[in-house]
Amino acid sequence: MKINSIELNVIEMPLKDPFLTHLGAVNIREGIIIRVTNSDGVSGFGEGVAFSTPWYTEETVKTSLHMLTDFLIPLLQKNPIDHPEQASKLFRSLRRNNMAKAALETALWDLYAKTHSQPLSKTLGGTRSAVAAGVVVATDSTTNALRQINQYLMEGYQRIKIKINPKLDYSFLSEIRRCHPDLPIIADANSAYTLMDLERIKALDDFNLLMIEQPLANDDILEHSLLQKELKTPICLDESICSYEDARKAIEFGSCKVINIKVGRVGGLYEAKRIHDYCFEQGVPVWCGGMIEFGISRAHNIALASLPGFSIPGDISSSNRFWEEDIITPEVTVQNGSVAVPTGPGIGFEMNEKRLREVLQWEETFVF
Ligand code: OSB
Ligand code: MG
């Protein structure tokens, strides 16, 4: 892979509606769009999904830029690679900073697939022609939740994920369940509980939830294994799984029955695929998590979710779930409850250069 230049673009867009969890509100999304261009002028795109503040993981947009500028790009300049897997292994010499790593590694995957005239989904080993769409509801009002669920069901989404916490759980979910007796529902707690809340969490077994996501601490494996023994509802881990090793430990300890794989959280597509392959062997279903992301990361998610082990609808939603106008063309759309896996080379979406310029805050180019 003969790299000529790497361009970093910081963009910013308002969300259509505030995204509320017990950890706070997201109203504006900053992100990093990376363009890696080779000596033939072919470009691959990646997206950094860290937030402006470290509320979900420890990384931020600024720490990602620091890692990319001062470590990851120089590492790639000194060590030419032939395949993105080598980049992933090269980046292991730097601890953590998974979202910064994934931003660059995913761009290399797109470039690699394009130079081999192959859809990225095929390069990764994907087998599906469409991926099931799910969507998240992140509000603190029952009225809003029910209104949004009705809207999303009209748009065809196959499952709903809803944010919960100890102030917004039993009566909230019972009202939603009353209105939608058969709807596949995931409740995502983003670590709002501790084992002191055992009885509160056990009560949620009443609602026949598809799963409960990350009820306990963001870095826990042990206590989730104790909780899972007490619960009928399957536990899904999100924040706790930052690597293949985390996934292996969680499954061996019985800390979860499902894993939410996010490319950014685990440091890139190579690690995401390793986790998928391990879970597939173990018979543990996985689904693709979302990060309130722009179109580039959405496109990488679609390619990843085409792998055979992604058997549960992910946080795979249309561009218009969050954005007035996305930065890719065409935008991601849900049709008959699914998103079609593109058949063109690489991620299979083009950069909408006009929209990128409209939302651009800062840019820098590194010439190799
Ligand atoms: O916990 O899954 C989460 C968004 C940002 C950070 C963490 C999470 C989420 C979501 C959103 O739930 C999913 C999406 O983008 O569709
Ligand atoms: Mg989550």
Side-chain angles (χ1 to χ4, degrees), residues 56 161 163 188 190 213 238-239 260 262:
Y56 168 73
K161 171 166 123 176
K163 297 293 189 181
D188 187 1
N190 289 106
E213 185 178 343
D238 172 356
E239 284 89 330
N260 159 343
K262 290 186 186 172

Side-chain angles (χ1 to χ4, degrees), residues 187-207:
D188 187 1
N190 289 106
S191 305
Y193 299 87
T194 72
L195 279 184
M196 302 278 280
D197 303 306
L198 181 61
E199 294 309 316
R200 262 208 103 75
I201 305 171
K202 275 169 78 168
L204 306 181
D205 276 340
D206 289 355
F207 302 122

